[in-house]
Amino acid sequence: MKLSLGPILYYWPREALFEFYETIAGTSVDIVYLGEAVCSRRHAFRFEDWLDVAKGLSDAGKEVVLSTQTLIESESDLKALRRLAENGEFALEANDMGAVRLLSGKSFVAGPHLNAYSPETLEILVELGARRWVIPIEMSKQALSEMRPESLETEVLVHGRLPLAFSARCFTARHYNLPKDDCRFSCLDHPFGLELKTREGEPFLALNGIQTQSYRLCNLIGELDEMRKLGVSIARISPQPMHMEETISLFRGAIDGKIRCSEASSLISDLVPVETCNGYWQGSAGMEYMKGVT
Amino acid sequence: MSLELVCPAGSLPALKTALDNGADCVYVGLKGNTNARAFSGLNFDVQGLIEAARLVHARKRKIFVALNTYPQATNLTEWNKAVDSASEAGVDAVILADMGLMRYASRNHPELRLHLSVQGSATNYEAINFYREHFDIKRAVLPRVLSLQQVENVVGNTSVEIELFGFGGLCVMVEGRCLLSSYVTGESPNTAGVCSPARAVRWQKTANGLETRLNGVLLDCYADGENAGYPTLCKGRFEVGGETYYAIEEPTSLNTIELIPEMARMGISAVKIEGRQRSPAYVGQVTKTWRSAIDAFHGGRRSDPAWMSALSKLAEGQHHTLGAYHRPWK
């Protein structure tokens, strides 16, 4: 099983991005997804910067994939998409059907937001050129077992806050009473999202610009064996601003059988003081944490 | 070409009221999870659909069937059968979101007209043209996230007819890309056809006020005299940075009646009224108001302030907004 690092979903400053990927080059992840997948207003990195980082990671032996934005609204969003599609060197992860149109006939990764819930739909993506798919965020292991994807690689998000929703409205800007068009890049102050609690103080969601995430961290490190049996060949970690190297090492250790899953699971929980969840994978409400049957 | 008025019908009485008040088209769902309003007591069985289609066609109007949730491996047959039933009933279009189902429909019922549902999350013309090239869709319903300028850019770059939401519930998230409901309850619009399902809702009077919970998660707490609406997850009050407010969206309805001239100028084909879960009386009043407004526009008559006040009374929390069509809202 390979280990991948998803695109950074938050807005981090330019120096932080360079530093982050320099560190990542020295870790044991096999695949790195790069690019701005959430908001077109974020521009700490330009297209050329992403390509530079991509080349560096590629030289370090990583497979690099460029991720497209998930919500593509304007002509300038489309322009950015076309530029990505025509980069000529790196494959793309399509997160919108507009991207799928531009990539048809090329080899691409079908991202988690394409809503491939049935074998028939997945088959169409394969015919169009998908060589790998990332299962929908809310797909359970039971549902995955019924998909039986044989002609492409299967990737599952195993660690990180869950990307739950995309909106036209920017909730971070809204919090600061700013219009989206003049957001003053408020997301920069929230490198791990802006915590939203219920009125009784329970942490519930994390606002990340136009994206809404789970507050809880999805953690499926205890499910890696099960995943292998289901044909999952890639485990995806979603970037977060702390303890990335340790998280990657623990997953690598668990995949290689050098550390017991239960032990790795508790060590991961100790890294970030945020509750974990695995409900979607277990076929339940996403926010829940259920002990595996094994 | 006149703007087509597409109205919701969760039941036969609502369907008749919509026709009586001037709907050009009605859209309905079948019982079960095949559509995004899978509520008990709503929707049509196969025989009911046949009768509804007959009734609508006798009055020279159109009927669409929403089959806009995403089937999965274990239940695919139910969705395929629903497409067969819609075709046999002779409906004017099916509204689909899932590609696999589009392929099934276009292969097995080539005469059946396909519309791309809002649940298909197509927010740009490349996506819409993708569905046209592969499945020959004739119309796309746009998610409620684009500004008017962005809508116009879509219309100008596709031959697919565009349908916009005109009135009713306001989804602040891109439809088809919102999992908030399943995160909390296990059921989302995508796979179960429900959002913030009633079975998971609890109302409880406490010393603090009237609490609403969804699967235990506190969505809001209302003081005496505060108007407590249906607890849709994204319309609750939450605390962010020490401040309690409608952090995602206020309980409010979308109302674009003042945009009719703009929509017509841009070449929008149809305007959709949300609300298959609403009462026949509600459907009747909204339909009547929109009919008057569209007819007045095409007849060169001025707009009437009475339309706005009629719709305000029907709006969620009695508030309405232009939503994303009006850029500052974002």
Side-chain angles (χ1 to χ4, degrees):
Chain A
M1 189 184 268
K2 289 180 181 171
L3 199 52
S4 79
L5 187 71
I8 295 173
L9 302 178
Y10 309 103
Y11 192 26
W12 295 350
R14 188 177 168 79
E15 305 72 44
L17 290 171
F18 278 121
E19 207 175 297
F20 179 77
Y21 286 115
E22 225 175 87
T23 311
I24 291 306
T27 65
S28 61
V29 290
D30 304 289
I31 306 163
V32 183
Y33 291 83
L34 293 177
E36 178 53 56
V38 175
C39 177
S40 56
R41 286 184 52 76
R42 299 174 177 176
H43 60 256
F45 256 28
R46 305 278 176 192
F47 176 71
E48 291 74 19
D49 297 317
W50 287 117
L51 281 191
D52 282 351
V53 169
K55 283 175 187 141
L57 287 166
S58 184
D59 290 345
K62 313 294 182 199
E63 178 195 330
V64 174
V65 181
L66 304 177
S67 296
T68 76
Q69 233 171 265
T70 302
L71 174 55
I72 296 175
E73 299 173 294
S74 65
E75 198 58 47
S76 63
D77 290 346
L78 285 172
K79 207 173 138 196
L81 173 64
R82 289 188 191 106
R83 212 166 164 201
L84 274 185
E86 289 157 10
N87 83 83
E89 192 172 353
F90 300 102
L92 260 63
E93 175 189 60
N95 284 312
D96 177 86
M97 293 314 289
V100 173
R101 184 182 192 225
L102 297 184
L103 296 171
S104 294
K106 295 181 184 171
S107 173
F108 67 93
V109 178
H113 303 293
L114 293 183
N115 288 346
Y117 287 100
S118 78
E120 280 66 13
T121 297
L122 190 57
E123 186 51 40
I124 296 172
L125 288 168
V126 171
E127 288 166 24
L128 293 166
R131 63 179 160 95
R132 178 187 300 161
W133 71 307
V134 188
I135 71 166
I137 302 296
E138 59 177 351
M139 183 169 271
S140 67
K141 60 179 164 188
Q142 178 63 34
L144 174 60
S145 74
E146 286 146 4
M147 293 292 280
R148 310 205 168 280
E150 280 159 12
S151 47
L152 80 174
E153 296 178 302
T154 299
E155 178 165 344
V156 176
L157 174 63
V158 295
H159 191 267
R161 287 191 157 153
L162 297 165
L164 295 175
F166 295 82
S167 174
R169 175 175 268 184
C170 174
F171 305 112
T172 307
R174 178 174 167 81
H175 175 68
Y176 291 103
N177 287 316
L178 294 169
K180 181 179 165 192
D181 291 344
D182 179 25
C183 66
R184 299 186 204 162
F185 308 108
S186 317
C187 286
L188 282 170
D189 294 332
H190 304 283
F192 198 28
L194 174 57
E195 184 179 325
L196 176 151
K197 295 177 187 169
T198 69
R199 295 182 72 174
E200 54 195 356
E202 271 299 308
F204 177 33
L205 300 170
L207 303 176
N208 176 37
I210 64 152
Q211 185 187 60
T212 304
Q213 301 184 331
S214 64
Y215 172 81
R216 291 182 185 172
L217 280 175
C218 164
N219 179 16
L220 301 180
I221 200 166
E223 299 289 323
L224 294 170
D225 287 339
E226 187 90 10
M227 283 183 193
R228 216 179 262 121
K229 283 184 216 151
L230 291 173
V232 175
S233 49
I234 302 160
R236 172 182 290 205
I237 295 173
S238 188
Q240 61 190 32
M242 69 295 260
H243 306 301
M244 237 26 278
E245 288 174 272
E246 295 97 316
T247 305
I248 290 167
S249 305
L250 285 169
F251 267 93
R252 174 55 66 194
I255 286 171
D256 294 346
K258 289 185 182 142
I259 177 168
R260 288 221 320 274
C261 284
S262 54
E263 195 185 337
S265 189
S266 87
L267 288 170
I268 283 226
S269 302
D270 293 344
L271 287 177
V272 184
V274 167
E275 273 183 275
T276 52
C277 62
N278 64 5
Y280 279 135
W281 178 253
Q282 304 287 4
S284 184
M287 67 178 183
E288 285 169 10
Y289 181 80
M290 301 169 86
K291 289 226 155 121
V293 277
T294 44
Chain B
M1 202 177 65
S2 177
L3 259 185
E4 196 173 81
L5 181 59
V6 183
C7 297
S11 65
L12 195 60
L15 181 138
K16 287 178 178 164
T17 316
L19 295 176
D20 289 344
N21 286 282
D24 296 309
C25 316
V26 289
Y27 65 102
V28 302
L30 283 163
K31 290 198 179 290
N33 296 121
T34 58
N35 71 90
R37 291 288 182 279
F39 301 158
S40 59
L42 272 196
N43 300 323
F44 293 75
D45 59 19
V46 173
Q47 193 51 41
L49 178 66
I50 294 170
E51 284 160 27
R54 204 176 288 144
L55 197 110
V56 170
H57 290 150
R59 296 178 66 170
K60 306 228 177 323
R61 317 285 178 85
K62 292 181 199 161
I63 181 168
F64 304 155
V65 180
L67 300 168
N68 56 351
T69 45
Y70 291 86
Q72 297 175 65
T74 45
N75 56 25
L76 193 62
T77 323
E78 190 189 340
W79 270 253
N80 290 346
K81 275 188 182 160
V83 172
D84 298 340
S85 303
S87 170
E88 280 153 29
V91 303
D92 299 280
V94 285
I95 311 168
L96 308 180
D98 178 61
M99 279 200 290
L101 201 57
M102 286 181 209
R103 173 176 281 183
Y104 177 85
S106 61
R107 283 186 176 169
N108 294 282
H109 304 284
E111 78 298 339
L112 190 58
R113 189 179 150 100
L114 307 187
H115 289 187
L116 176 66
S117 168
V118 69
Q119 292 295 124
S121 319
T123 53
N124 59 78
Y125 60 83
E126 293 286 2
I128 291 168
N129 289 337
F130 169 86
Y131 289 106
R132 178 179 53 77
E133 284 161 6
H134 291 276
F135 311 108
D136 195 25
I137 60 155
K138 302 289 193 224
R139 181 181 290 185
V141 187
L142 296 187
R144 285 159 270 194
V145 296
L146 302 179
S147 66
L148 271 187
Q149 195 193 358
Q150 288 166 343
V151 170
E152 186 163 21
N153 190 43
V154 170
V155 176
N157 285 284
T158 183
S159 59
V160 173
E161 294 175 8
I162 298 298
E163 180 171 312
L164 289 186
F165 273 91
F167 189 83
L170 174 66
C171 271
V172 64
M173 305 301 184
V174 184
E175 292 91 335
R177 288 201 179 128
C178 180
L179 311 178
L180 291 176
S181 179
S182 66
Y183 180 65
V184 175
T185 71
E187 293 182 317
S188 75
N190 280 2
T191 54
V194 291
C195 173
S196 311
R199 62 151 190 90
V201 170
R202 293 286 176 278
W203 300 82
Q204 198 178 7
K205 260 227 161 318
T206 69
N208 299 327
L210 181 63
E211 289 182 351
T212 55
R213 288 178 189 272
L214 189 67
N215 198 17
V217 175
L218 183 66
L219 295 188
D220 213 336
C221 180
Y222 300 92
D224 286 344
E226 266 192 307
N227 195 356
Y230 185 84
T232 306
L233 208 159
C234 59
K235 293 178 179 177
R237 275 178 290 197
F238 302 102
E239 188 199 318
V240 184
E243 223 183 303
T244 300
Y245 63 110
Y246 292 107
I248 299 173
E249 173 62 326
E250 286 90 1
T252 180
S253 289
L254 177 75
N255 180 12
T256 67
I257 201 160
E258 64 188 86
L259 300 180
I260 289 173
E262 273 294 279
M263 292 195 262
R265 183 189 62 75
M266 284 180 187
I268 300 297
S269 299
V271 58
K272 177 170 224 144
I273 308 299
E274 183 274 346
R276 281 187 285 126
Q277 72 284 15
R278 298 292 197 148
S279 70
Y282 171 96
V283 170
Q285 287 180 53
V286 178
T287 304
K288 188 179 176 183
T289 309
W290 273 81
R291 178 80 273 152
S292 309
I294 291 172
D295 288 349
F297 170 73
H298 289 296
R301 296 188 299 280
R302 284 218 210 154
S303 69
D304 181 346
W307 302 333
M308 210 47 132
S309 58
L311 292 177
S312 293
K313 283 181 204 142
L314 299 166
E316 188 179 348
Q318 307 207 345
H319 294 289
H320 52 78
T321 168
L322 287 171
Y325 299 124
H326 180 53
R327 235 193 130 81
W329 172 87
K330 292 183 174 184

